[in-house]
Amino acid sequence: MSGADLFEKLTIGQVARWLDVHPFDLVRMMGSTDGGLPMDLRLDEAQIDRLRDQAGVETWWSGELNVSDPVRGRALVRSLASQILSRSGSGTWLSRADNLYRGLEPADHWVVRRAVNQLILDGVLKSVARASGLHVELGPNAVQVLGGIAEGNEIPASLEALWS
């Protein structure tokens, strides 16, 4: 946020761009909370922070990838698998789908988003609709499949099409 933004309330569009969510999703999330929509549809910093927490908005990507690989697309997909495994722990795991690619540059965003969609099609991840937006959770055998992807020794052919 810029310095001027700290002294004035932000519009729905500004907040949506800052959180990297669609404005419609933002309004839907606001409408489903106890406070509802503010009369002037403007938000202060405390409201934005509360909304980010309620929505589960996280930025997973910043800086370098956590997996080294000479092929950029494969490195992205392996890093994605590694991050999901590190965040999911041993219990049930649920995350906003857009968290999985938030913070990436456009070309990398495209590869990771396609990989997430393919992992859903392959049953590794399952999509779950929530009031706060589309979420994903682990499917059956997800830990084993994601482990093979993260290690780079068992990448499904459906994902290899993203960089070949």
Side-chain angles (χ1 to χ4, degrees):
M1 239 191 292
S2 70
D5 294 336
L6 296 175
F7 298 105
E8 62 183 46
K9 290 184 173 186
L10 300 178
T11 66
I12 298 294
Q14 290 170 317
V15 173
R17 279 189 300 280
W18 187 50
L19 295 178
D20 194 20
V21 296
H22 194 278
F24 178 76
D25 289 338
L26 185 63
V27 170
R28 186 178 62 227
M29 287 184 281
M30 292 169 58
S32 67
T33 62
D34 293 336
L37 295 170
M39 292 296 289
D40 62 357
L41 292 180
R42 292 183 174 271
L43 303 166
D44 61 29
E45 189 174 356
Q47 291 169 310
I48 295 167
D49 289 340
R50 187 171 56 252
L51 192 57
R52 182 189 312 104
D53 290 342
Q54 289 171 342
V57 173
E58 301 172 353
T59 301
W60 281 27
W61 301 89
S62 59
E64 295 298 314
L65 302 178
N66 60 356
V67 171
S68 178
D69 195 296
V71 178
R72 178 78 178 169
R74 189 169 51 219
L76 286 162
V77 172
R78 290 180 59 204
S79 292
L80 171 67
S82 175
Q83 287 195 57
I84 292 172
L85 288 172
S86 69
R87 293 169 191 270
S88 64
S90 59
T92 58
W93 170 80
L94 184 74
S95 178
R96 289 181 60 89
D98 54 4
N99 286 344
L100 279 65
Y101 38 83
R102 182 175 288 108
L104 288 168
E105 296 297 320
D108 292 344
H109 178 277
W110 182 86
V111 171
V112 172
R113 187 172 183 152
R114 293 282 311 265
V116 169
N117 290 338
Q118 190 60 52
L119 289 169
I120 291 170
L121 288 172
D122 292 347
V124 177
L125 299 176
K126 295 189 299 187
S127 61
V128 179
R130 287 272 169 98
S132 58
L134 181 65
H135 285 64
V136 292
E137 64 184 11
L138 298 177
N141 302 322
V143 173
Q144 179 183 1
V145 174
L146 291 170
I149 294 170
E151 292 297 320
N153 55 17
E154 293 183 38
I155 299 175
S158 59
L159 291 175
E160 288 181 2
L162 296 175
W163 56 80
S164 56

